Amino acid sequence: MKHLLAMLLVSLTLVSCSGLRVERTFRPSPQDWTLFGGSPARTHATTALLKPPFETVWEYNALAGISASPLVRDSVVIITTLNGELQAVNLVNGKRLGYVVLEPSIAGTPALDNSAVIVPLAGGDETLISLSLRTSEQFWKATLGPIESSPLLYDNFVYVTTMEGIAYCLKKHDGSIVWKFESGTEERRKPIRSSPATDGQTIFFGGDDGYLYALDRTSGTLRWKFNAGASVFASPIVTRNAVLFGTLGGKFHCLDATNGAMRWTFDTASPIYGTAAANDEAVFVGSSNGICYALDLQSGTKRWQFLTRSVVNSPPLIAGNLLYWGSMDRTLYALDSQTGKELWRYDALGRIRVPPVIWGNLLLVTSEDKFVVALRPAQ
């Protein structure tokens, strides 16, 4: 009932065909999903519990491709598109509340900071923008080079990686640069598509150059780097003093977060493009061979595997003992996290490349072509 009342109180007013205005202060909730992965550690776990079967509440057409996860705060959904639009949607009924055109493509997932949204852009001059959801005003913008990763908000800072092979730390209030880290000389640097993650002390990200980098969060100095032997597109995740990530060489690595020492490696024998997810016992990762793997967090031993009908580029959403896991076969699977048993499936409107999001009693499923669908437990 509390969530329902919160949703019914949503009041947004359009200021024009392009623009939006939020007429009240966002009220935080433990279920808010404000950045890629749900937390600075990027573990894709939620405290919300929803069980299948589900029924459709609404379908939203963003009118352009989507490669970023939706964000939700106080029953307002934020969706970004490859056409450079940021759209606000009413979680209650799926109606568009307003939008802002930023023109360059938005490939990475933005980050929400109260009523501000920090948006990465894959092209143009200013490629990181802080935008007000109340007025559409741009608080600040930074010229950093193309960004295809997802910004990380932690404390009073924004951390982001770029296609020019540079990682930045900026002040979230004014966008001024605190430090920058260059992964090599200008002639030798390769793109960084991996989104940064943190344990509060260290910033972790991978590069096309095949290294996993660990930087001091406050100074940006290199603590260590690990040669993974193949490009790292996926964002690492951090849990229990371990950093975990996959490579295009098919290897999934678990390193000691303090010094980069290898703990274990699991070979999927197929490129890993997507980020993993983890709880206290296991880590879950998908591969290009269409297999979803559950690996023991301590040893890397395979607990179970589940075969889909196409590439798995998305991490699952962990919700209690359930995994909601999408595949490029246009299917969302609900799996038992202990056994890998399929409990339910949903035929999506397109290929799934990002995990679903739960807020209140709704499960939001994103298809890469242009759709977001809201599902709720069947009565």
Side-chain angles (χ1 to χ4, degrees), residues 37-260:
S39 73
R42 311 286 200 189
T43 51
H44 291 90
T46 177
T47 58
L49 299 176
L50 290 182
K51 296 183 178 181
F54 292 91
E55 60 186 12
T56 301
V57 179
W58 50 258
E59 297 176 355
Y60 177 77
N61 186 346
L63 302 176
I66 303 171
S67 69
S69 298
L71 304 176
V72 188
R73 166 158 278 173
D74 203 4
S75 66
V76 176
V77 184
I78 302 300
I79 297 168
T80 55
T81 76
L82 294 175
N83 280 357
E85 287 189 3
L86 183 147
Q87 305 175 8
V89 177
N90 189 324
L91 184 65
V92 179
N93 54 26
K95 300 297 183 182
R96 180 182 293 185
L97 299 163
Y99 70 97
V100 176
V101 180
L102 299 173
E103 294 185 357
S105 176
I106 304 172
T109 300
L112 275 175
D113 179 38
N114 296 319
S115 61
V117 58
I118 298 172
V119 187
L121 301 175
D125 295 325
E126 291 91 7
T127 53
L128 193 66
I129 297 175
S130 178
L131 181 76
S132 171
L133 292 178
R134 295 181 181 176
T135 65
S136 301
E137 173 190 2
Q138 291 184 8
F139 293 127
W140 54 260
K141 48 191 176 183
T143 302
L144 306 179
I147 301 171
E148 295 189 7
S149 59
S150 302
L152 169 67
L153 270 178
Y154 191 88
D155 198 9
N156 292 314
F157 303 97
V158 183
Y159 303 89
V160 68
T161 56
T162 76
M163 296 295 285
E164 294 182 351
I166 301 175
Y168 290 90
C169 171
L170 304 90
K171 293 181 180 179
K172 73 174 184 178
H173 297 299
D174 61 13
S176 59
I177 295 175
V178 178
W179 56 254
K180 76 174 184 177
F181 171 83
E182 299 181 10
S183 59
T185 62
E186 185 174 359
E187 300 78 18
R188 298 176 65 87
R189 287 198 304 263
K190 291 191 176 182
I192 301 175
R193 307 169 207 267
S194 172
S195 302
T198 188
D199 58 2
Q201 303 298 318
T202 306
I203 299 295
F204 305 96
F205 59 87
D208 282 19
D209 60 5
Y211 283 94
L212 193 286
Y213 293 89
L215 309 183
D216 182 272
R217 187 178 69 83
T218 57
S219 67
T221 56
L222 180 67
R223 289 187 166 179
W224 54 262
K225 66 178 182 178
F226 174 82
N227 187 350
S231 295
V232 182
F233 283 15
S235 173
I237 63 172
V238 190
T239 184
R240 292 180 171 262
N241 199 39
V243 56
L244 303 105
F245 63 98
T247 75
L248 297 195
K251 300 288 183 65
F252 188 79
H253 299 291
C254 176
L255 309 180
D256 187 290
T258 303
N259 55 25

